[in-house]
Amino acid sequence: KRFYEWVGTCGLDRNKLTVQFKLSKVAIDCLDELLLKLFPGTKRTPFIRAVVMVYLDKIAQSTEKSAILEKVTETPVFASFASAEKLPLKAEFNPRAMLDILDWCEALEMAPNQLVEDILYRVMGLLYETDPQLKEFWEKTLLPHIQFALKVA
């Protein structure tokens, strides 16, 4: 019911389904390298959507998985993302996905752009980590879900 009320208020205005955010040039370069290496032919936006939704569905709801991914925020790789020049990006989500994003934003007291940036920095930080536990977490937990999400997108 809430979904239909929300869709009715925004009138399916595509702008209300778009999150505009900024990523550092370093993170964008890492993202582009990842796409080229692991997901050739995949554009940024579908990948960003997949990462955000997999994170919200599979990671954020698990205290154990969230704690593992929290370790990334303490690394030099994660810190390097914040220190570089930031460039604007945007990603469009379907109405149900956007409603999930807004629910998480309300719970975490964050704006949608902050939530998307934080998720992307955490996931991108995993890619360049040498910690075996974080590498395993990427390969066995996140990567298969992202691959599946991209297949059905």
Side-chain angles (χ1 to χ4, degrees):
K1 181 180 176 187
R2 182 170 175 244
F3 171 75
Y4 293 108
E5 289 172 0
W6 180 76
V7 169
T9 60
C10 74
L12 285 182
D13 178 356
R14 299 310 292 175
N15 290 328
K16 293 197 181 210
L17 302 174
T18 301
V19 177
Q20 295 181 5
F21 55 96
K22 291 183 177 183
L23 290 182
S24 70
K25 174 103 172 73
V26 173
I28 292 171
D29 290 345
C30 291
L31 174 63
D32 290 343
E33 181 181 328
L34 168 73
L35 290 174
L36 190 61
K37 199 184 315 182
L38 295 179
F39 304 100
T42 302
K43 301 221 181 283
R44 282 183 193 157
T45 299
F47 180 77
I48 290 168
R49 278 195 301 258
V51 167
V52 169
M53 297 320 299
V54 165
Y55 182 90
L56 294 178
D57 189 57
K58 304 293 183 194
I59 307 303
Q61 296 182 32
S62 165
T63 307
E64 180 184 323
K65 291 176 183 175
S66 292
I68 292 170
L69 201 54
E70 187 66 26
K71 291 179 183 179
V72 171
T73 64
E74 301 163 3
T75 65
V77 173
F78 188 85
S80 73
F81 293 150
S83 64
E85 172 191 3
K86 292 190 176 196
L87 303 170
L89 295 171
K90 63 182 178 177
E92 194 174 283
F93 293 86
N94 71 40
R96 288 194 189 275
M98 190 59 160
L99 197 54
D100 283 350
I101 290 169
L102 294 174
D103 284 344
W104 277 100
C105 287
E106 185 178 324
L108 298 171
E109 298 180 357
M110 296 175 88
N113 63 317
Q114 293 172 308
L115 181 68
V116 170
E117 289 168 19
D118 188 61
I119 290 170
L120 290 173
Y121 282 154
R122 287 169 191 260
V123 172
M124 297 305 298
L126 271 180
L127 300 172
Y128 295 93
E129 273 311 310
T130 55
D131 179 287
Q133 183 185 20
L134 293 175
K135 282 285 187 200
E136 182 179 348
F137 184 76
W138 164 253
E139 292 169 358
K140 294 187 176 176
T141 304
L142 267 177
L143 184 58
H145 290 297
I146 292 169
Q147 289 171 325
F148 180 75
L150 287 170
K151 282 181 191 176
V152 298

